[in-house]
Amino acid sequence: MTVTANAVLSPPDKRRPVQWSNPITYGLALAVAAVSIAPVVYVIVGGFRTTPQIVANPAGLPDPWVWDNYARVLTQSNFWKQAFNSGVIALGTTLGVVLLGVCAAFVLARYTFRGREVLYTFFTLGLLFPAGAAILPLYLMLRDLSLINSYYAVILPQIAFSLPLTIVILRPFLAAVPRELEDAAAIDGSGRLGFLWRILLPLSRPALVTVGILAFVASWNAFLLPLLVLGDANLHTLPLGVQNFSSQYTSDTAGILAFTSLAMLPALLFFTFAEKQIVGGLQGAVKG
């Protein structure tokens, strides 16, 4: 009887099998991370070297560390002017994407009307449309509207190209809120816009942060569109500034690396600090 009781009370000795997939997964993840991070680290560290050091040993570390390259870039007036232009365009694009994206996603998520799914499919098809294919007609349209050489020539097209992904991410968040909560808000005297402002937007904060960061980073790093529509050097953004600096100082490799690292630093820091918000927003969109 005692043996039987012990057999009943003692849990069976089940050892978990070794999962060889986990080390492989971690190894692949580390390899992908290394491939992604290594170029960024090389550019940043290369800015602390001299051009002869880079020519003699491209993969070496600074010996000694040189700060003149970064100081020379930061003391140029063109750098700060281009940074200002990039900031204005990126913030304007982000504001437009979030505002228009919320409005469109709210209608597609909370209103029922004929052709709603067709309209949503139309927006999702925008993800398959390459922006480069529209460059020529886009340029002609902006020229006819007299928008060439202005911030609007970059902000408005970037908003249009960012809306499909924004709507795809926001719609599941706005649709996931129960109808009962909307009915309760209506009983309290809150209209649809009040429900959107007071309830939906706070609950959808991860998605809003996600689309805002994606729009900001994409706008900050944009090169082709500003190159075509911003002929005035006073309106050039930092990506164009990197090209101009590279053309002007072709033999100064270390200076080019310093300028490039400073140009990408704001977007890199912005993306890094908000990484958790981006992951949460994308997970919510997938679940929806």
Side-chain angles (χ1 to χ4, degrees):
M1 187 69 180
T2 305
V3 176
T4 305
N6 291 335
V8 173
L9 295 176
S10 301
D13 186 12
K14 293 183 179 180
R15 296 184 178 181
R16 300 178 62 183
V18 178
Q19 297 181 0
W20 294 103
S21 61
N22 289 337
I24 295 176
T25 302
Y26 294 147
L28 291 176
L30 290 176
V32 172
V35 171
S36 303
I37 297 175
V40 177
V41 175
Y42 179 81
V43 171
I44 296 175
V45 174
F48 291 101
R49 307 176 70 192
T50 62
T51 299
Q53 290 179 4
I54 297 175
V55 174
N57 186 10
L61 294 175
D63 185 24
W65 290 72
V66 179
W67 299 86
D68 293 342
N69 297 320
Y70 286 97
R72 180 157 48 90
V73 173
L74 291 174
T75 53
Q76 290 185 354
S77 59
N78 287 337
F79 175 82
W80 295 107
K81 184 184 299 182
Q82 292 158 4
F84 176 79
N85 295 334
S86 293
V88 171
I89 293 175
L91 291 176
T93 300
T94 302
L95 181 61
V97 167
V98 173
L99 180 61
L100 296 178
V102 165
C103 294
F106 175 67
V107 173
L108 293 173
R110 310 300 300 189
Y111 285 76
T112 302
F113 55 90
R114 181 178 299 177
R116 182 182 67 170
E117 296 304 321
V118 175
L119 183 59
Y120 178 69
T121 304
F122 176 77
F123 276 111
T124 57
L125 290 177
L127 296 173
L128 307 177
F129 185 77
I135 287 298
L136 180 57
L138 179 61
Y139 177 84
L140 296 177
M141 182 178 65
L142 293 173
R143 186 192 62 182
D144 295 339
L145 295 174
S146 299
L147 293 178
I148 299 296
N149 285 327
S150 68
Y151 291 143
Y152 297 107
V154 182
I155 293 176
L156 295 178
Q158 286 185 160
I159 292 175
F161 286 120
S162 299
L163 277 179
L165 179 61
T166 301
I167 294 173
V168 169
I169 294 176
L170 288 180
R171 189 193 185 195
F173 277 87
L174 300 181
V177 178
R179 291 286 179 180
E180 292 78 9
L181 194 59
E182 184 176 358
D183 295 338
I187 294 175
D188 291 338
S190 178
R192 286 187 177 269
L193 292 180
F195 172 70
L196 171 65
W197 179 258
R198 298 175 183 175
I199 298 177
L200 282 183
L201 293 185
L203 293 177
S204 303
R205 181 175 175 271
L208 295 175
V209 174
T210 298
V211 297
I213 292 173
L214 294 178
F216 182 89
V217 173
S219 176
W220 187 275
N221 294 328
F223 176 77
L224 181 58
L225 182 61
L227 176 64
L228 294 177
V229 301
L230 297 179
D232 187 357
N234 293 323
L235 296 176
H236 280 185
T237 58
L238 278 177
L240 299 182
V242 172
Q243 182 198 36
N244 297 336
F245 190 88
S246 302
S247 301
Q248 186 176 0
Y249 303 97
T250 55
S251 60
D252 189 5
T253 305
I256 295 173
L257 293 178
F259 197 108
T260 303
S261 62
L262 289 174
M264 68 180 181
L265 190 60
L268 183 63
L269 294 177
F270 194 50
F271 189 88
T272 301
F273 290 144
E275 179 185 0
K276 293 183 179 180
Q277 294 288 342
I278 294 176
V279 173
L282 294 179
Q283 286 179 346
V286 172
K287 291 179 181 180

